[in-house]
């Protein structure tokens, strides 16, 4: 069986006028409070949901009903948003 020909491609070099001006070395690291707050949101959200289910929907706030689920999952989504900013 004949061997196929290998195409030679040029190495792509982006134009110099559209390169990003910020590099990874110039960006500042994230503050210390950011990962601590994100972990607190995760633990708080999971804790909120566990208490809600184990108390048969009487605690943390009985009058909120199923909105307690929104609070628990909202805290966990908030932690994901914070962790997306972490460098």
């Amino acid at each position: 069986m004949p061997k196929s020909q290998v195409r030679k491609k040029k190495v792509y070099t982006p134009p110099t006028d559209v390169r990003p001006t910020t590099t990874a070395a110039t960006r500042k690291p994230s503050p210390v409070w950011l990962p601590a707050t994100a972990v607190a949101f995760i633990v708080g959200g999971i804790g909120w949901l566990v208490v809600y289910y184990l108390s048969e929907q009487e605690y943390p706030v009985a009058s909120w009903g199923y909105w307690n689920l929104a609070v628990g999952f909202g805290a966990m989504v908030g932690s994901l948003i914070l962790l997306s900013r972490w460098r």
Side-chain angles (χ1 to χ4, degrees):
M1 178 171 271
K3 185 177 177 184
S4 62
Q5 294 180 350
V6 178
R7 297 180 194 165
K8 293 185 179 181
K9 291 184 177 181
K10 294 181 180 179
V11 177
Y12 175 74
T13 55
T16 58
D17 57 341
V18 293
R19 286 188 182 166
T21 57
T22 61
T23 60
T26 60
R27 290 189 288 176
K28 295 179 182 177
S30 58
V32 175
W33 61 266
L34 194 136
T37 306
V39 169
F41 275 179
I42 290 174
V43 171
I46 292 173
W48 190 282
L49 293 174
V50 166
V51 168
Y52 178 69
Y53 278 118
L54 290 180
S55 69
E56 296 178 357
Q57 302 156 356
E58 291 185 21
Y59 296 106
V61 182
S63 64
W64 288 359
Y66 287 112
W67 283 103
N68 284 303
L69 295 174
V71 172
F73 285 116
M76 290 189 286
V77 168
S79 70
L80 289 175
I81 292 170
L82 280 176
L83 288 175
S84 71
R85 301 280 184 171
W86 189 22
R87 289 185 216 146

